[in-house]
Amino acid sequence: MTSLKDGKYAVTAHELEGATMPLMVEIAEGKIAKVKPERDYKSALEEAVFAKGAAQIVDKQSLEIDAITGATISTNGLIEAVSDAIKEAGGDPADYAQAEFTPAAEISTEEATVSQADDYADWRKAPSQIDKEISVEYLIVGAGIAGLASAVQAREEGLETLVIEKNGFVAGNGGGVEGIFGINTKMQQEAGIHAEKEDIIAKEMELGQYRANGAFWVDLVNNSADNIEWLLKQGVQLTHVDDYHGTCMFPTFHWWKGGFASEGYVPYMKKRCDELGVSFMTSTSAISIIQEAGGVKGVYAKSPDGIVKINAKATLLCTGGVGHSAELIEKQGWSTKNLHYCSMPSNTGDGYKMAMAAGVRDMLVESPEFMMNSLWLCHTKACTCISIRSMAS
């Protein structure tokens, strides 16, 4: 192995959806002494990768680091950036045993197929081996926006609460959400904004082509102001309210601090969870439900310590939507060929599948979705290619 030339090397790690993290890699006495981010973390995902991953590189003097669940692309970016620094220092990255990671697909090339008769029986199977068993009062599956809020409320009501999260960090698909919907909140009142709830509900039903259950919209609208006030009491940060760049019928969009939940919501709600004593298990994926006597009694989960049986008096699924599952997007009625996925790769509809396995009513086709068409431009010396793609989240 060639000794590396001492010095400080500025490199850039590439993340999901074109984001970047500038890094300073310091080489001292021929070894990797420090891998330091040159800006503040914008999300729990970034902190998990560029704090834990960078520490592993320095400790092991190797690029063969543990993959952080849900952060494959950012982990690859870190490895490639440090590889660039090694090259600049006169070394060969191959000497540092670079691990191979397979990034999650962002654009599908084939049409998905789905069996309409699928009863999701695999999500009811008990594992052949259980490495650990625990019991809690209240189990929450998913540590995104909904999971964190539910955990805080549960602890406020005195319930022993455990949250499991398949990613190696909290935030989930909600970390990139820019704001929250609200009607006649204090922020709107102070800004002189007023909207009639009936107008909002009627417009939402029209835009959703009357597919969604109107009672859900009524419940959301009627409780939206109180929901936001509760969140503010928990410490989350909102900056202003507007019509989201002129795209909303009414000024109902309340912006998180920094323009993303990863900055204005997640850190504050995670802090509140910690204050209240919520327990978390990250890098832990629910793989099937525990169903006894007609009811759900918890889940089986795959964790870094093996298969865990989690017994719970009540289980809440907060796993988000189906935006990274070609199979379920196809089931909803959309073509998946040339589809660009905007959601987290972990957003694969696990909660939906578990719910279906438990026998709940299937409302996937009735749910409103966020899809859009866009132009994908590819410029080369030989030609300019234009294709149309749809995005799902």
Side-chain angles (χ1 to χ4, degrees):
M1 180 182 293
T2 305
S3 179
L4 301 178
K5 180 181 178 181
D6 289 357
K8 294 183 178 180
Y9 302 88
V11 292
T12 301
H14 295 275
E15 304 180 73
L16 187 68
E17 292 292 328
T20 58
M21 170 64 83
L23 301 171
M24 183 63 70
V25 179
E26 182 178 344
I27 306 296
E29 299 181 356
K31 296 182 178 181
I32 304 171
K34 186 180 295 184
V35 179
K36 180 184 177 183
E38 291 292 277
R39 65 163 171 78
D40 293 336
Y41 302 123
K42 292 183 178 180
S43 67
L45 181 153
E46 283 191 338
E47 184 173 5
V49 172
F50 297 107
K52 297 178 183 178
Q56 285 189 45
I57 289 175
V58 174
D59 290 343
K60 296 180 178 181
Q61 290 298 297
S62 171
L63 297 176
E64 191 170 351
I65 62 177
D66 298 331
I68 297 171
T69 307
T72 304
I73 293 174
S74 295
T75 302
N76 271 328
L78 170 63
I79 291 172
E80 291 169 3
V82 177
S83 295
D84 290 340
I86 291 172
K87 292 176 185 176
E88 289 186 43
D92 183 353
D95 293 337
Y96 292 81
Q98 179 171 348
E100 293 292 333
F101 293 98
T102 304
E106 290 190 52
I107 301 178
S108 61
T109 57
E110 297 181 358
E111 198 82 31
T113 58
V114 59
S115 171
Q116 299 298 328
D118 194 346
D119 66 352
Y120 301 101
D122 287 346
W123 289 87
R124 292 192 295 271
K125 290 182 179 179
S128 58
Q129 177 180 333
I130 297 173
D131 301 298
K132 184 178 180 181
E133 183 170 353
I134 59 178
S135 297
V136 297
E137 284 187 297
Y138 193 46
L139 172 64
I140 298 173
V141 182
I145 284 183
L148 292 173
S150 300
V152 169
Q153 184 178 22
R155 285 299 297 141
E156 285 185 333
E157 296 179 3
L159 296 174
E160 176 197 19
T161 304
L162 169 65
V163 183
I164 64 172
E165 168 59 48
K166 71 189 299 185
N167 290 314
F169 50 89
V170 303
N173 199 53
V177 174
E178 298 153 304
I180 184 171
F181 167 89
I183 297 293
N184 298 334
T185 63
K186 288 184 179 179
M187 289 180 66
Q188 288 169 318
Q189 293 171 16
E190 292 170 356
I193 298 169
H194 177 79
E196 296 297 333
K197 295 179 179 180
E198 293 79 4
D199 294 337
I200 298 287
I201 295 168
K203 191 62 178 178
E204 291 286 2
M205 291 299 295
E206 178 186 345
L207 291 174
Q209 299 180 6
Y210 301 95
R211 290 168 62 188
N213 188 325
F216 294 152
W217 286 121
V218 172
D219 182 69
L220 172 64
V221 167
N222 285 338
N223 291 285
S224 60
D226 289 342
N227 289 340
I228 288 178
E229 288 307 309
W230 180 81
L231 290 172
L232 291 172
K233 288 179 181 178
Q234 306 308 323
V236 303
Q237 302 291 306
L238 292 168
T239 55
H240 63 287
V241 57
D242 63 16
D243 58 0
Y244 194 75
H245 310 301
T247 61
C248 298
M249 183 176 178
F250 302 99
T252 59
F253 198 82
H254 298 65
W255 288 84
W256 299 122
K257 172 187 173 183
F260 292 101
S262 58
E263 184 172 344
Y265 178 95
V266 174
Y268 300 101
M269 290 301 280
K270 177 57 166 63
K271 178 182 177 182
R272 185 69 177 129
C273 284
D274 293 340
E275 291 172 349
L276 293 170
V278 176
S279 298
F280 286 86
M281 291 174 61
T282 55
S283 299
T284 301
S285 304
I287 56 175
S288 62
I289 60 171
I290 302 171
Q291 196 167 15
E292 300 172 358
V296 173
K297 305 297 182 181
V299 303
Y300 295 102
K302 183 179 180 181
S303 77
D305 298 324
I307 303 300
V308 184
K309 181 180 182 181
I310 307 175
N311 304 302
K313 294 181 180 179
T315 301
L316 180 66
L317 301 178
C318 293
T319 56
V322 302
H324 221 92
S325 170
E327 171 197 1
L328 295 178
I329 293 171
E330 173 76 15
K331 183 176 181 179
Q332 199 173 35
W334 294 94
S335 170
T336 55
K337 189 173 183 180
N338 298 322
L339 187 76
H340 175 72
Y341 300 96
C342 297
S343 60
M344 285 285 294
S346 58
N347 195 31
T348 53
D350 293 359
Y352 168 81
K353 295 172 184 176
M354 281 187 281
M356 291 301 99
V360 305
R361 177 185 173 189
D362 188 353
M363 298 185 67
L364 184 64
V365 177
E366 300 173 39
S367 302
E369 63 285 303
F370 177 59
M371 302 285 287
M372 67 180 75
N373 293 320
S374 64
L375 292 177
W376 185 247
L377 307 178
C378 176
H379 296 278
T380 67
K381 292 182 180 179
C383 66
T384 299
C385 302
I386 302 179
S387 64
I388 297 179
R389 64 182 182 177
S390 296
M391 299 192 287
S393 68

